[in-house]
Amino acid sequence: GVEEGKKAVKRLKRVYTKIKQDLDSKKKQVLKFQESLKKQLAVLSDKAKQKKYEEYRRLLMEYQQMLLERQRKFAKLEKKLKNPILNRLMLIIGSIGTKGDFDLVLEKTESAVLYAPKHMDLTGQVVRTYNDLKAKWKKKSKKRKGKR
């Protein structure tokens, strides 16, 4: 496959694992507090119950905010890592499709194609072209950075 894509997936998996650990830890904290609160309800005064409920709501809200924030950050990172790759792939696929006089190019994993001859699978050609052009893109990128 495309090396850049493999690296992006690895990085996303690492980030996802860290996010999941953080969220699981916060969730355990909320559940532990909830259990503690249930056990104490019978002996707490109304004022103390009110205070504990407020603390519980605050913890729950912190967890929900953390979840939303982490989801947004992950989606942003995923887009940042995948979009350049997908844009380049689209250019390559368009070029191969035009040169090969194809009327249509489908994504193998997402399409509803139940059968196609092996010679029509462009995956290997797309990956090779992408990896070959990657070095050229890096050189152009470095030249542009050097001119600034």
Side-chain angles (χ1 to χ4, degrees), residues 21-98:
Q21 287 171 348
D22 292 348
L23 288 170
D24 286 348
S25 175
K26 189 69 171 178
K27 187 176 182 177
K28 281 181 185 174
Q29 184 184 359
V30 171
L31 292 173
K32 189 175 178 181
F33 188 89
Q34 183 184 34
E35 286 300 312
S36 172
L37 180 61
K38 283 180 184 177
K39 291 175 184 175
Q40 296 174 13
L41 277 179
V43 294
L44 292 175
S45 68
D46 287 344
K47 191 173 184 174
K49 283 180 192 177
Q50 184 68 28
K51 195 172 184 178
K52 289 283 186 183
Y53 277 127
E54 286 173 17
E55 191 175 345
Y56 174 70
R57 279 192 291 270
R58 181 187 53 78
L59 276 174
L60 193 56
M61 196 166 73
E62 283 175 9
Y63 171 74
Q64 290 168 339
Q65 287 173 340
M66 181 185 210
L67 176 65
L68 289 173
E69 178 215 341
R70 294 305 196 303
Q71 285 174 333
R72 274 195 300 270
K73 281 185 176 183
F74 186 81
K76 187 177 178 180
L77 177 63
E78 184 177 40
K79 186 176 179 180
K80 178 184 171 188
L81 294 175
K82 286 185 174 182
N83 278 357
I85 297 168
L86 293 175
N87 290 338
R88 291 175 188 144
L89 283 172
M90 293 306 291
L91 291 171
I92 292 167
I93 291 166
S95 173
I96 291 171
T98 302

Side-chain angles (χ1 to χ4, degrees), residues 96 100 102 104-105 108 115-126 128:
I96 291 171
F102 291 98
L104 180 69
V105 177
K108 188 176 171 182
Y115 171 78
K118 280 196 183 264
H119 74 275
M120 292 186 76
D121 186 350
L122 304 175
T123 305
Q125 186 179 357
V126 170
R128 279 190 303 278

